[in-house]
Amino acid sequence: PVREALIALAKTRLVEVLPQRGTIVVKISVAKMMEARFVRDLEDLKYRLGALAEEARVTQILVVGGGAPQPIGRYDASIQLLETGVFEANGIKRIGIAGHCWGGRVAWLGACTNKRYKACAIFYGGRVKLPMGRNSPPAIERAADIRCPVIGFFGNDDTNPTPAEVDDYDAALTK
């Protein structure tokens, strides 16, 4: 089993096999790590998902949006990639959604409106109690539409959302 594990790690370029000498862990540069965080286009995503599904047998994934200082490639939002169907085409059976700050509100609304999400994580997600858009109710009023587990990460000293607003989120989800 160790030999097979090392072969798999070598395919992902995490280790380098030195014939007749041994195997070493490859140093990962900060630049390569930063580059790997972003999906450049649909072909890049297909390649990455295919490798995950084939080599690691991944069937569940958590999609987190944000982080790029400006959109890279054709997609300017994670939700656009989710809508392509590429995840399901590569054997991903369970998709979770997560967001930070404004993305926390987006993740909440995603969980309200898309039944395929199996989990929702909100990191300091504010503005859930505010109406956004003409004739649009506050996102918190749609809590009853959420059919997946929701976890929130907030700080007691935060102002958006405040601890009192976080209590309101909890009350809306436990009705």
Side-chain angles (χ1 to χ4, degrees), residues 9-92:
L9 288 169
K11 284 181 183 178
T12 63
R13 297 186 182 107
L14 292 174
V15 299
E16 183 180 351
V17 177
L18 305 172
Q20 307 295 324
R21 294 191 320 200
T23 303
I24 60 169
V25 175
V26 175
K27 291 182 181 178
I28 300 174
S29 74
V30 172
K32 284 190 178 193
M33 184 182 71
M34 294 303 287
E35 181 182 318
R37 294 181 345 162
F38 302 110
V39 174
R40 303 225 175 274
D41 55 31
L42 190 57
E43 291 306 312
D44 184 24
L45 181 62
K46 285 180 183 177
Y47 171 79
R48 291 179 191 209
L49 287 174
L52 284 172
E54 184 179 319
E55 294 172 18
R57 293 183 174 61
V58 171
T59 60
Q60 302 179 74
I61 196 162
L62 176 66
V63 177
V64 181
Q70 61 184 359
I72 298 171
R74 171 175 160 204
Y75 299 97
D76 60 5
S78 297
I79 195 75
Q80 292 172 324
L81 288 169
L82 288 167
E83 295 302 325
T84 66
V86 70
F87 291 91
E88 293 86 350
N90 281 282
I92 304 297

Side-chain angles (χ1 to χ4, degrees), residues 82-137:
L82 288 167
E83 295 302 325
T84 66
V86 70
F87 291 91
E88 293 86 350
N90 281 282
I92 304 297
K93 295 176 178 31
R94 296 174 57 89
I95 300 173
I97 187 169
H100 175 265
C101 195
W102 176 258
R105 176 187 166 80
V106 173
W108 178 289
L109 286 169
C112 290
T113 59
N114 195 324
K115 304 302 181 214
R116 76 175 171 197
Y117 300 133
K118 305 302 181 196
C120 174
I122 302 168
F123 296 86
Y124 294 91
R127 299 189 177 104
V128 171
K129 291 181 65 178
L130 299 175
M132 300 280 181
R134 196 176 328 174
N135 301 321
S136 187

